[in-house]
Amino acid sequence: MTFSDLNLHADILSGLDAMGFENPTPIQEQAIPIILGNKDLIGCAQTGTGKTAAFLLPLMHKIAENEIPDDTIDTIIICPTRELAMQIDQQLEGLSYFSGVTSIPIYGGGSGDDFAKEKNALAKGTHVVVGTPGKLISHLNLGYVKVDQLKHLVLDEADRMLDMGFHEDIMRIINHLPKERQNLMFSATMPPKIRALAKDILQEPEEINISISKPAEKIVQVAFNAYDAQKVDLVKHLLRYNDIPSLVIFASRKSKVRELTKALQKEGMNAKGISSDLEQSEREAMLREFKHRSLQILVATDVISRGIDIDNIDMVINFDVPNDAADYIHRIGRTARASSEGEAVTFINEEDQEKFLKIEELMEREVRKVPNPSSIGDGPEYAPRKRNGRSNKKRFYKKRR
Ligand code: AMP
């Protein structure tokens, strides 16, 4: 299938061409006709599947086709983080080069000046507003946001937003919007609380599910059983014996990011740590450096694991096993984006074995455990169930095979 088969507006097709998108991804093939058909939609899809363009393209098509004036807010997209808001806005900007669809990102953490600029844009109107819940509700409460002509609402990464405690803000935003509108909701996971939110917001939605809990096939996944004290040496080993121009290392806590960055820098590695503690301008500068490859190693918390659009990462290292199995999928989704291949390496210490087994169960796939290099020495034996006083993990795999 090509994008022309999806009957998109010629200006949108030109934008796709300029962005170098040749063929629709599976979620785009499925979602675009539903959205063009004005149906509500719930989409279960992780980042890396092309879900952003899956909702942007048909919405932009409708704006172009219906010649919506650019002082009308046609669409509000709510997403969990400012990075994701910026990224969605940037993708829209790229795709809309020929169609003239306008947008503004609205996110927390900016200065008073930013707030005034946002206020001006929202009062004047723009086709698409992309924002985080807290910031959007602050503006909506002040009464100048022109939402009376709004036709579309998108909730992106809904599971993440609920985890971050945004439920009330989302419902408050919705109270400001016209009742007649099309609603699209995307979520990486579909727990009961997401089903409940969908029931509250969506009207007879169509449902699509893009290989939930299955990372892209192109990602080569391996794991090392390692004691904490062995992990920095393992990173050094991987860098010494592999050509890894671009590496993201994930750690679960900010303190760990700081500690690990220091340890890597002490070893002479070109590494910097990014976390929600940094000023936004610092985070942006660091991401730019990383994208341009003057920075080789980015050490990060999960805050940036979702939604950040960094292409061509050669390897993701999970310095520890994330608490949430879905976070593992998001973390490793940073590599092997639409057209590239990538590798994901996880370090499993003795406490994290049970968590890692849960991830393997969710993916219905056993990740290959690679023996530690002899210079580093053996790590703990991988026997999560036995360790937990229950049946041995072998039983689980036997059952599945
Ligand atoms: P997303 O899942 O929306 O975060 O998109 C993942 C990455 O794939 C982004 O870098 C997009 O720019 C890229 N992408 C999305 N759709 C396509 C497509 N049809 N062809 C090539 N790249 C795409």
Side-chain angles (χ1 to χ4, degrees):
M1 184 183 271
T2 66
F3 280 111
S4 323
D5 298 330
L6 291 167
N7 296 323
L8 292 170
H9 190 281
D11 291 345
I12 308 287
L13 292 176
S14 304
L16 280 163
D17 212 32
M19 291 281 279
F21 292 9
E22 286 172 9
N23 298 105
T25 64
I27 191 170
Q28 290 162 4
E29 272 188 34
Q30 291 184 42
I32 291 173
I34 295 171
I35 301 173
L36 290 178
N38 300 320
K39 299 278 248 169
D40 278 11
L41 170 70
I42 178 159
C44 191
Q46 65 214 60
T47 56
T49 53
K51 72 175 161 66
T52 313
F55 62 78
L56 285 181
L57 291 168
L59 296 176
M60 291 167 61
H61 165 94
K62 291 199 222 182
I63 291 168
E65 192 81 354
N66 298 321
E67 298 180 3
I68 305 289
D70 69 359
D71 61 354
T72 303
I73 299 179
D74 173 272
T75 297
I76 288 184
I77 301 169
I78 314 178
C79 64
T81 62
R82 50 191 163 187
E83 279 80 13
L84 188 56
M86 283 165 63
Q87 193 187 301
I88 295 170
D89 183 64
Q90 279 162 9
Q91 194 163 144
L92 193 151
E93 217 172 89
L95 289 168
S96 67
Y97 188 78
F98 297 93
S99 60
V101 174
T102 58
S103 64
I104 181 173
I106 303 281
Y107 42 81
S111 62
D113 267 3
D114 290 337
F115 196 90
K117 266 189 227 145
E118 291 169 3
K119 176 182 170 182
N120 275 342
L122 290 170
K124 189 174 135 290
T126 179
H127 289 132
V128 180
V129 176
V130 189
T132 51
K135 203 65 186 294
L136 279 169
I137 193 67
S138 313
H139 283 291
L140 280 162
N141 280 342
L142 294 170
Y144 44 72
V145 188
K146 302 203 314 181
V147 286
D148 52 318
Q149 299 296 313
L150 181 121
K151 298 276 187 302
H152 307 102
L153 172 70
V154 182
L155 299 181
D156 193 17
E157 302 205 347
D159 50 350
R160 187 66 158 183
M161 291 204 279
L162 293 193
D163 288 348
M164 290 168 82
F166 284 137
H167 184 267
E168 219 171 284
D169 280 348
I170 292 171
M171 298 317 283
R172 282 203 207 113
I173 293 170
I174 288 174
N175 277 336
H176 284 271
L177 308 181
K179 299 246 170 321
E180 280 290 312
R181 52 166 206 270
Q182 186 180 13
N183 303 290
L184 314 173
M185 188 162 129
F186 292 86
S187 187
T189 55
M190 227 21 92
K193 59 185 182 182
I194 289 291
R195 294 257 164 227
L197 183 72
K199 216 163 158 231
D200 285 347
I201 298 174
L202 308 177
Q203 305 265 345
E204 299 174 19
E206 297 275 331
E207 185 162 341
I208 54 181
N209 193 330
I210 298 294
S211 70
I212 174 59
S213 68
K214 299 250 180 6
E217 290 295 328
K218 286 178 296 188
I219 306 173
V220 178
Q221 300 177 59
V222 297
F224 289 93
N225 290 302
Y227 295 107
D228 283 345
Q230 297 173 316
K231 290 179 174 178
V232 172
D233 285 336
L234 269 173
V235 175
K236 273 187 352 196
H237 177 90
L238 288 167
L239 282 161
R240 190 174 312 133
Y241 293 101
N242 297 278
D243 179 29
I244 315 171
S246 199
L247 166 69
V248 176
I249 305 180
F250 283 111
S252 289
R253 280 172 293 119
K254 288 182 212 167
S255 55
K256 194 85 213 165
V257 168
R258 276 195 296 273
E259 212 177 284
L260 175 58
T261 308
K262 257 197 207 146
L264 298 176
Q265 287 169 342
K266 217 170 124 204
E267 294 289 339
M269 296 188 203
N270 177 9
K272 283 188 182 169
I274 189 167
S275 77
S276 52
D277 275 352
L278 291 177
E279 288 294 321
Q280 190 186 338
S281 54
E282 292 175 291
R283 286 155 74 172
E284 283 169 23
M286 206 177 280
L287 284 171
R288 262 198 309 278
E289 251 185 87
F290 186 69
K291 277 191 188 191
H292 295 149
R293 301 202 157 203
S294 48
L295 175 65
Q296 182 190 13
I297 306 171
L298 191 68
V299 186
T301 56
D302 284 300
V303 170
I304 75 142
S305 78
R306 293 191 185 221
I308 288 296
D309 190 12
I310 308 172
D311 287 328
N312 305 321
I313 296 173
D314 303 290
M315 185 184 279
V316 165
I317 294 179
N318 295 311
F319 202 76
D320 50 31
V321 178
N323 287 320
D324 179 349
D327 273 334
Y328 173 84
I329 306 207
H330 282 273
R331 285 182 180 191
I332 72 170
R334 305 302 87 213
T335 178
R337 299 304 283 253
S339 63
S340 57
E341 289 189 353
E343 198 167 343
V345 180
T346 304
F347 299 161
I348 313 170
N349 69 11
E350 54 285 37
E351 286 95 47
D352 283 348
Q353 294 192 352
E354 181 78 13
K355 271 196 276 178
F356 197 72
L357 181 67
K358 287 220 176 83
I359 292 169
E360 293 183 307
E361 285 175 345
L362 184 78
M363 297 191 294
E364 296 182 348
R365 170 154 141 192
E366 187 174 6
V367 173
R368 189 161 63 90
K369 314 292 177 310
V370 183
N372 288 353
S374 54
S375 58
I376 290 173
D378 286 343
E381 182 204 0
Y382 187 67
R385 291 288 192 235
K386 199 161 67 186
R387 203 170 289 280
N388 207 31
R390 282 188 264 147
S391 62
N392 192 294
K393 62 126 189 170
K394 277 202 181 96
R395 214 188 263 181
F396 159 68
Y397 290 114
K398 265 201 190 125
K399 203 173 68 197
R400 287 215 178 277
R401 272 192 209 114

